[in-house]
Amino acid sequence: MIFNIMSRFDAEIESKNRDMPTTLVISITEEGSPYPEFDLENPNIIDILFVQFNDVNADEPFPITEEHAKAIIEKYNLYKDKVERILVHCEAGVSRSAGVCAALMKIHDGDDMPIFSQAKYCPNMTCYRAILNEYYGKYDEEDAQRKWSINTKAYLKKEGLLDD
């Protein structure tokens, strides 16, 4: 399975790619914003799940909810053996999409480090925890904190704020 994270803009462009592998799209937009303009005629896009929640922590307005997490897991379970790729996008392709994608990668093959080890992502840990909690019934907080620490160190190194 291929997992891709994109910005809204890049996902809209990618939707026009008729050479893409069979793809499930998880489209994350801000609460109340218009939906992306995807090429809905592309036969390689098997399905699109549109969810709206903000890039916030659980105690702030419009975070990911249990209902969002359940819908994402239901789509994943429905298509995990039918598609070659899962494309997750949010506005910038950095935080919410990275958190959701990392959780799906952990569920799929147990390896979410391709997300946490890259400084270009800053996974929304509320999203990550919500997806894992929905799938497993709980998540490993110690593991989540360790992954966040790895991601923070990668970012600080990239910015030249941390020596090797």
Side-chain angles (χ1 to χ4, degrees):
M1 174 77 68
I2 302 165
F3 290 89
N4 290 134
I5 298 169
M6 292 185 185
S7 68
R8 175 188 183 121
F9 178 77
D10 289 339
E12 287 175 330
I13 291 171
E14 177 64 10
S15 78
K16 296 169 180 57
N17 177 4
R18 297 299 172 128
D19 294 324
M20 73 165 60
T22 55
T23 301
L24 166 64
V25 176
I26 299 173
S27 175
I28 305 168
T29 54
E30 293 285 317
E31 180 74 21
S33 70
Y35 292 114
E37 296 181 19
F38 291 129
D39 178 357
L40 302 177
E41 302 300 317
N42 188 332
N44 294 317
I45 297 176
I46 302 305
D47 200 353
I48 303 172
L49 173 63
F50 293 100
V51 290
Q52 291 194 318
F53 53 87
N54 293 346
D55 188 12
V56 294
N57 294 319
D59 59 346
E60 298 177 90
F62 306 112
I64 187 172
T65 64
E66 287 181 27
E67 292 78 23
H68 295 128
K70 183 175 183 162
I72 291 167
I73 292 299
E74 285 176 355
K75 286 292 182 183
Y76 167 78
N77 284 333
L78 181 62
Y79 291 108
K80 66 183 176 187
D81 297 322
K82 299 174 184 168
V83 297
E84 298 169 81
R85 173 174 75 162
I86 296 177
L87 186 159
V88 185
H89 90 80
C90 60
E91 293 302 321
V94 174
S95 186
R96 287 171 292 173
S97 55
V100 169
C101 193
L104 292 175
M105 291 171 74
K106 183 170 183 70
I107 291 164
H108 190 75
D109 62 14
D111 186 12
D112 52 15
M113 287 311 295
I115 305 301
F116 285 103
S117 63
Q118 291 191 50
K120 71 180 182 177
Y121 299 121
C122 183
N124 180 309
M125 297 304 285
T126 300
C127 295
Y128 180 76
R129 289 179 179 105
I131 300 296
L132 293 180
N133 194 46
E134 181 61 36
Y135 189 81
Y136 293 115
K138 63 182 175 105
Y139 62 91
D140 182 340
E141 181 59 35
E142 188 176 305
D143 184 57
Q145 290 295 326
R146 185 179 64 78
K147 302 247 173 92
W148 179 250
S149 176
I150 289 168
N151 184 253
T152 300
K153 287 179 184 174
Y155 174 79
L156 292 173
K157 280 184 182 179
K158 179 186 99 169
E159 295 298 313
L161 301 172
L162 183 68
D163 294 330
D164 290 330

